[in-house]
């Protein structure tokens, strides 16, 4: 009987461990976007469908309480000013930069390595040529918000 209890306990622990990895090891897909990572100075998002803009994706994550962010301005002049409570330090010339794996779509160039490169998980991502309202969300592409300096 002791062996059975020990085995049953071991199975329960294994099931709980697997459940916690599946629930907390990666973000859930929310309206066509998945939050891959969110730390103080970097946020990584993976698009799972082609629809809307990066700002639409950020708003979906905000509505699902996966991510907090604030913007200023409107339309093409929308600027990200804080993410999960972190605002860039102007004394250090910091700003929230957008990097992406999306290079070109329908003849439009959406990123340029000449503007800067961000290395994440062994891959290089180019600086976005458009802001959060003009950058389309495309399935399979990665979008990174990262603190950069000028």
């Amino acid at each position: 009987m002791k062996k059975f209890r020990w085995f049953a306990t071991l199975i329960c622990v294994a099931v709980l461990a697997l459940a916690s990895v599946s629930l907390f090891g990666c973000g859930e897909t929310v309206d066509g976007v998945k939050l891959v990572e969110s730390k103080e100075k970097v946020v990584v998002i993976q698009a799972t469908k082609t629809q809307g803009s990066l700002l639409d994706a950020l708003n979906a994550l905000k509505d699902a309480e996966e991510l907090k962010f604030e913007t200023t301005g409107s339309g093409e002049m929308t600027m990200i000013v804080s993410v999960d409570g972190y605002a860039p330090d102007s004394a250090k010339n910091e700003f929230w930069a957008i990097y992406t794996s999306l290079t070109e779509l329908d003849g439009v160039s959406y990123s340029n390595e000449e503007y800067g490169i961000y290395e994440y998980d062994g891959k290089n991502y180019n600086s976005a040529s458009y802001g959060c309202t003009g950058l389309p969300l495309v399935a399979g592409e990665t979008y990174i918000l990262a603190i950069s300096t000028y």
Side-chain angles (χ1 to χ4, degrees), residues 39-106:
K39 296 192 286 189
E40 183 179 64
K41 296 184 179 184
V42 65
V43 173
V44 181
I45 297 168
Q46 179 78 41
T48 58
K49 70 178 181 180
T50 300
Q51 178 179 317
S53 68
L54 177 58
L55 183 60
D56 295 330
L58 294 171
N59 281 324
L61 291 168
K62 187 177 188 177
D63 291 346
E65 298 181 356
E66 293 277 324
L67 183 70
K68 295 177 185 175
F69 74 98
E70 293 179 30
T71 60
T72 187
S74 62
E76 292 178 10
M77 300 305 294
T78 301
M79 301 279 294
I80 297 169
V81 294
S82 74
V83 178
D84 282 341
Y86 187 85
D89 185 343
S90 60
K92 295 179 181 177
N93 297 325
E94 291 180 338
F95 66 100
W96 279 106
I98 303 171
Y99 300 90
T100 183
S101 60
L102 177 62
T103 54
E104 187 176 311
L105 179 67
D106 298 329

Side-chain angles (χ1 to χ4, degrees), residues 26-35 46-49 60-61 64 66:
C26 57
E28 292 183 35
T29 300
V30 176
D31 199 24
V33 66
K34 179 180 175 182
L35 183 62
Q46 179 78 41
T48 58
K49 70 178 181 180
L61 291 168
E66 293 277 324

